[in-house]
Amino acid sequence: MSGLVIVGADGSASSLVAVEAAGREARWRDAGLRIVHAFHWPTARVPLWGALPMPDEGEVRKMTEGLLAEAVERARTVAPSVDVTRSVVTGDPVTVLEAQSRAAELVVVGSRGMGGFVGLMVGSTAVRLAAHGRCPVLVVRDSPEPAGPIVLAVDGSRAGVAAVDFAFAEAALRGVGLVALHAWTTWNAPVPPPQDPAEPYASAPGMLAQAEGRLLAEALAGHRERYPDIPVESRVVHGATREALIEASGSAQLLVVGARGRGGFSGLLLGSVSQAALHHAHCPVAVVRRPGES
């Protein structure tokens, strides 16, 4: 065993799908799997007041043990050889899982847990954990694991380097191809400086597109050599980043994004592109933060 994968379990259907995904990730990594239940009254669906009686400690323990036993069984159906442990921690799910993420190489959560609003694509726990997790966070949809390549969002920023590393490593673990997508518009692409400083600061026709193509190539430099068996498609799109990624996610098994890209506001933990991916992508989304980024 070389690492640890953490998965949050609250008894919801979404969390059981996440447990299966986490089991596969642990199997691919030859890592251990820890199933974590963050215990607090709202998650346990226990009324804080009203006519219904409060359950005693034995009932709560029985309920918790039951949901954890089901989660362990689901994990072992997809990863029978993985070392599975379980843990019950008192506290808010985001606080608990953020603390757990400090010792993990990946945290997996379902898109919506207990108490989620009907029709909401992704719950607040998933979004907040993606913003605060200390390791990559994989948010899994309720639908079965899709097929297709991994789609990687590339923006050329320093913060995005960790996402590139993660996407190539994940493609190698899964044995699938990678689509490296970079979307740009004249509003978000920096204007290349003129070749002659005496010339006006303007671009000749096609210069912006060429510069954005070079940005993508430079972001992938070295990774192709380290992962020669991974088929890589470089895709430069002239258009809005969010729309391009969401469209590409329709034929992907995983979308990998950085927590914040170029042009993000200083201090913002989760950028608008990452949030849009979490809410609207058609496949699971991995949000990868640069080590030490806060």
Side-chain angles (χ1 to χ4, degrees), residues 87-226:
S87 177
V88 179
V89 184
T90 302
D92 170 78
V94 174
T95 302
V96 168
L97 291 173
E98 188 274 334
Q100 295 277 330
S101 73
R102 296 170 186 263
E105 60 181 84
L106 180 69
V107 172
V108 184
V109 291
S111 57
R112 293 191 301 118
M114 289 292 195
F117 293 100
V118 175
L120 195 64
M121 292 295 292
V122 64
S124 61
T125 295
V127 174
R128 290 170 58 202
L129 184 62
H132 295 279
R134 299 307 178 95
C135 69
V137 175
L138 174 59
V139 179
V140 181
R141 301 295 185 202
D142 295 355
S143 55
E145 192 77 10
I150 290 175
V151 171
L152 164 66
V154 178
D155 65 3
S157 68
R158 290 181 58 197
V161 173
V164 177
D165 293 338
F166 178 88
F168 271 88
E170 188 73 12
L173 290 170
R174 297 183 180 216
V176 299
L178 181 70
V179 175
L181 189 153
H182 172 63
W184 66 279
T185 68
T186 52
W187 296 102
N188 65 18
V191 179
Q195 295 181 356
D196 184 346
E199 294 179 358
Y201 203 93
S203 297
M207 286 292 292
L208 273 179
Q210 293 176 22
E212 296 303 299
R214 285 195 300 272
L215 180 149
L216 177 56
E218 291 168 2
L220 302 180
H223 290 81
R224 293 177 185 268
E225 290 74 19
R226 290 203 300 273

Side-chain angles (χ1 to χ4, degrees), residues 1-7 17-34 74-75 78-84 104-109 136-140 145-146 150 166-176 253-256 284-287:
M1 187 174 69
S2 59
L4 181 64
V5 174
I6 302 287
V7 60
V17 174
V19 165
E20 292 184 354
R24 287 189 290 269
E25 292 286 347
R27 187 186 73 222
W28 292 330
R29 287 171 163 75
D30 191 26
L33 175 63
R34 181 186 298 164
R74 291 287 284 270
V78 298
S81 62
V82 167
D83 180 26
V84 181
E105 60 181 84
L106 180 69
V107 172
V108 184
V109 291
V137 175
L138 174 59
V139 179
V140 181
E145 192 77 10
I150 290 175
F166 178 88
F168 271 88
E170 188 73 12
L173 290 170
R174 297 183 180 216
V176 299
Q253 65 176 264
L254 176 67
L255 173 61
V256 179
V285 177
V287 179

Side-chain angles (χ1 to χ4, degrees), residues 151 181-183 235 237 239-249:
V151 171
L181 189 153
H182 172 63
R235 189 182 299 175
V237 177
T241 302
R242 282 173 284 189
E243 286 75 3
L245 289 175
I246 291 167
E247 180 181 357
S249 73

Side-chain angles (χ1 to χ4, degrees), residues 36-56:
V36 177
H37 175 67
F39 178 81
H40 71 152
W41 291 114
T43 297
R45 290 191 169 183
V46 177
L48 298 179
W49 57 81
L52 295 177
M54 294 285 284
D56 60 29

